[in-house]
Amino acid sequence: MTSTMENTRAEQSGATREVHVAVIGSGFAGLGMAIQLRKQGIEDFVVLERGDDVGGTWRDNSYPGAACDVQSNLYSFSFAPNPDWPRTYSEQPEIFAYLRGIADRYELRDKHVFGAEVTAATWDDAARRWDVETTAGAFRAKVLVSGAGALADPSYPDIPGIETFAGTVMHTARWDHEHDLAGERVAVIGTGASAIQVVPAIQPRVGSIAVYQRTPPWVIPRGDRPTTPFERALYRRFPAVQKAVRGALYAGREFLVLGMAKNRRLLAPVQKLARTHLERQVRDPQLRAAVTPDYTIGCKRILISNDWYPAVSAPNAEVVTAGIAEIRPHSVVTRDGVERPTDTLVLATGFHVTDLPIAHRITGRDGRTLAQVWDEGMVTNRGSAVAGFPNLFLLVGPNVGVGHTSMVYMIESQVAYVGEALRAMAVEGLATLETTPAAQEAYRELIAQRSAGTVWLGGGCGSWYLDRHGHNTTLWPDFTFLFRRLTRELDRENYTGTPERETAGVAA
Ligand code: N01
């Protein structure tokens, strides 16, 4: 209510609202940052959210079957456990409800301006402020924190003729719930984490489903089950038990790093598990061959599902490997010349991850955007700060992604780091804090060294983990507890600061 009023006020008056901190986005990252600010006694902040509710990717990805492939006891804030998760791996509605509950519990809704898409954020070096233009008015902030995330903007495939398609087109991240797929001939493009969830969910009710596969994924069984009333009561009565379960899940998942980043041979048992799963669920030799990957497991995200193979083996389903040549108004044509009549196109084609759209909208001290500065590859200090962009902090930015464990763990690490930076600014009376090019270069080197020899670079696949130069600019290439160690305190020596006094002098 208040945020709507704030929106209206800002729009009507055209006035610029001044705040200490502006946070972009209200997914796990933005909400986590807002809670951290509150914890530090910073109340003068605003969360700019382009949607009409909190939740980020968990608000937007509401396609049938959307769920998390990390257990909820781990995929949640450490300081806000939920004893009432209905399943061990939650589905999108529960995670969305959890995040909405977080916003309510920490009384964060009044701090939000909804419908505020950031169109431009420009550093004003004379005033030492960020000028933030949004679709709900203008803001001026001393500090800008982007929690826009990497899985925010859908990537639409550039397939000849796609714009001529006369039926319904839906990206998994922009699902049209009004559209009834019953009895339709559906084409699904992509076989990533989203596709393997949506296909089993819609296959039973569509007329036919053609899954257009470019690269088959490795899939392991999903150990999901409903939680029991006993478990829930236990967690409620003894929170330490849930904490211990969380710890065990965390530790178990970190073992995967040994195979992914240290010694690829250690992935052999995981690959065997996936192969056995495939062979058990797919009997048809032709389909088996089509869905068997030819790269090392872990090179692309390891997917978990018990119903993907049964869904694509169903009589009304087909896995098409020929490659799409063109799309016509009522059909999809593959390179082998086969034309498949199609009513609806489902694009499970992922997101802009290595070419983050928000990077085009943030302009630093020398007038260049983050995207321009990152033209040769995304570089940062600790995934959080960029030279030439004072008082800007990134959450879920470059080299913070993880494929094996919970992103929330990484987000909490980063949020604490940004909190330390803000504390340093307050204690030292700084107008600006900016990381140095040397620190950034050293960090780039560290990421390159740790990425060498990992399965993501050497596993024989292409993936969105790598940028167009073949560099890993998305994943943290080591144990996540090492990232936490690296971000526990502010590496003050890697930053330059301008005291407020000096700023006043400059302005005077
Ligand atoms: O997207 P993706 P996603 N023609 O980029 C194919 C998270 N997530 O939405 O592999 C034909 O992984 C592309 O083919 P290829 C998770 O981090 C998490 O599925 O590039 N095909 C691929 O098969 C995940 O990694 C959960 O050869 C085209 C697919 O589209 C991330 O989101 C659940 C194409 C895209 O796969 C993204 O997953 C869901 C083209 N032009 C998602 N362009 C959890 O459970 C692309 N493809 C937490």
Side-chain angles (χ1 to χ4, degrees):
M1 188 67 182
T2 313
S3 33
T4 316
M5 277 158 46
E6 278 168 358
N7 273 352
T8 316
R9 271 205 301 271
E11 275 168 13
Q12 281 173 352
S13 66
T16 298
R17 196 172 140 198
E18 301 250 358
V19 287
H20 183 179
V21 184
V23 178
I24 306 175
S26 65
F28 269 102
L31 290 176
M33 193 66 235
I35 293 166
Q36 178 72 28
L37 292 172
R38 277 251 154 100
K39 229 163 67 183
Q40 293 185 206
I42 299 173
E43 284 295 327
D44 183 18
F45 70 91
V46 66
V47 182
L48 304 170
E49 169 53 56
R50 66 182 175 185
D52 57 3
D53 203 343
V54 301
T57 198
W58 291 106
R59 178 199 59 224
D60 293 342
N61 283 270
S62 62
Y63 58 82
C68 189
D69 52 16
V70 177
Q71 297 91 334
S72 292
N73 276 337
L74 186 56
Y75 197 87
S76 44
F77 285 123
S78 61
F79 52 82
N82 173 16
D84 294 316
W85 291 116
R87 307 190 65 82
T88 50
Y89 290 81
S90 291
E91 295 172 357
Q92 177 266 345
E94 282 98 48
I95 303 172
F96 184 29
Y98 171 79
L99 288 172
R100 299 180 73 196
I102 291 286
D104 293 336
R105 180 165 150 196
Y106 290 88
E107 298 178 1
L108 294 172
R109 285 190 187 268
D110 284 356
K111 291 292 184 190
H112 280 72
V113 179
F114 292 106
E117 172 155 8
V118 172
T119 50
T122 309
W123 176 250
D124 178 342
D125 206 35
R128 307 283 207 254
R129 288 290 182 274
W130 281 101
D131 283 322
V132 186
E133 300 292 329
T134 81
T135 48
F139 296 80
R140 203 165 167 76
K142 177 170 176 177
V143 173
L144 181 64
V145 182
S146 174
L151 304 178
D153 295 275
S155 168
Y156 292 88
D158 188 15
I159 299 172
I162 192 163
E163 70 290 347
T164 68
F165 188 68
T168 304
V169 183
M170 292 191 259
H171 192 284
T172 42
R174 298 287 181 270
W175 197 262
D176 177 0
H177 289 274
E178 300 299 308
H179 184 77
D180 186 8
L181 290 171
E184 284 200 340
R185 295 163 298 186
V186 176
V188 177
I189 302 180
T191 51
S194 301
I196 78 147
Q197 293 180 340
V198 75
V199 168
I202 62 174
Q203 171 269 320
R205 64 191 151 99
V206 302
S208 65
I209 188 163
V211 178
Y212 292 85
Q213 170 188 280
R214 199 161 61 179
T215 319
W218 280 111
V219 184
I220 59 173
R222 184 178 178 88
D224 186 24
R225 61 171 176 81
T227 54
T228 63
F230 172 74
E231 269 173 299
R232 282 179 251 148
L234 185 69
Y235 292 163
R236 229 172 288 129
R237 180 89 178 77
F238 302 104
V241 176
Q242 192 172 19
K243 209 170 166 186
V245 171
R246 181 185 177 94
L249 291 172
Y250 172 77
R253 285 178 169 270
E254 283 307 284
F255 271 107
L256 269 175
V257 176
L258 287 173
M260 287 171 159
K262 310 289 176 192
N263 183 345
R264 266 180 272 157
R265 272 180 304 185
L266 298 175
L267 289 169
V270 190
Q271 187 157 316
K272 178 135 191 347
L273 173 73
R275 192 176 288 280
T276 308
H277 186 50
L278 189 165
E279 287 170 0
R280 207 172 275 162
Q281 292 200 319
V282 182
R283 295 282 167 206
D284 172 36
Q286 236 177 328
L287 181 60
R288 251 191 207 182
V291 297
T292 302
D294 63 356
Y295 55 87
T296 310
I297 196 166
C299 184
K300 286 164 116 53
R301 190 181 177 93
I302 302 173
L303 305 186
I304 61 165
S305 175
N306 296 334
D307 48 15
W308 163 250
Y309 291 129
V312 295
S313 307
N316 68 340
E318 183 185 8
V319 174
V320 183
T321 56
I324 302 173
E326 66 167 312
I327 292 178
R328 295 182 184 160
H330 299 284
S331 63
V332 176
V333 184
T334 39
R335 292 208 192 98
D336 54 4
V338 178
E339 180 170 6
R340 289 176 179 81
T342 304
D343 303 309
T344 290
L345 269 184
V346 172
L347 307 177
T349 43
F351 300 86
H352 287 276
V353 182
T354 51
D355 55 340
L356 298 174
I358 192 77
H360 291 274
R361 300 178 182 187
I362 300 180
T363 304
R365 190 167 359 81
D366 70 358
R368 287 189 303 158
T369 62
L370 259 183
Q372 286 166 331
V373 169
W374 282 347
D375 191 43
E376 287 304 306
M378 299 190 283
V379 282
T380 63
N381 177 18
R382 288 157 170 72
S384 311
V386 185
F389 294 77
N391 297 5
L392 171 72
F393 298 98
L394 307 172
L395 304 173
V396 199
N399 293 112
V400 178
V402 285
H404 69 285
T405 189
S406 170
M407 259 323 283
V408 185
Y409 180 88
M410 300 299 276
I411 287 170
E412 284 191 37
S413 306
Q414 275 199 297
V415 157
Y417 180 75
V418 177
E420 284 303 299
L422 293 175
R423 217 185 301 275
M425 289 179 81
V427 170
E428 296 181 42
L430 297 179
T432 68
L433 188 68
E434 181 182 345
T435 197
T436 62
Q440 205 167 255
E441 182 50 29
Y443 195 69
R444 194 193 59 72
E445 192 54 39
L446 177 137
I447 294 290
Q449 268 173 18
R450 298 203 187 171
S451 299
T454 62
V455 71
W456 308 298
L457 262 67
C461 77
S463 78
W464 59 258
Y465 294 158
L466 310 181
D467 68 10
R468 65 191 161 91
H469 307 288
H471 299 143
N472 166 28
T473 53
T474 59
L475 290 181
W476 168 247
D478 212 325
F479 296 109
T480 57
F481 55 81
L482 294 180
F483 182 76
R484 177 149 298 185
R485 194 181 292 166
L486 210 57
T487 50
R488 182 161 290 148
E489 287 173 7
L490 181 72
D491 45 326
R492 183 65 182 85
E493 69 284 5
N494 287 328
Y495 285 82
T496 52
T498 321
E500 292 283 6
R501 285 188 313 278
E502 229 172 86
T503 313
V506 169

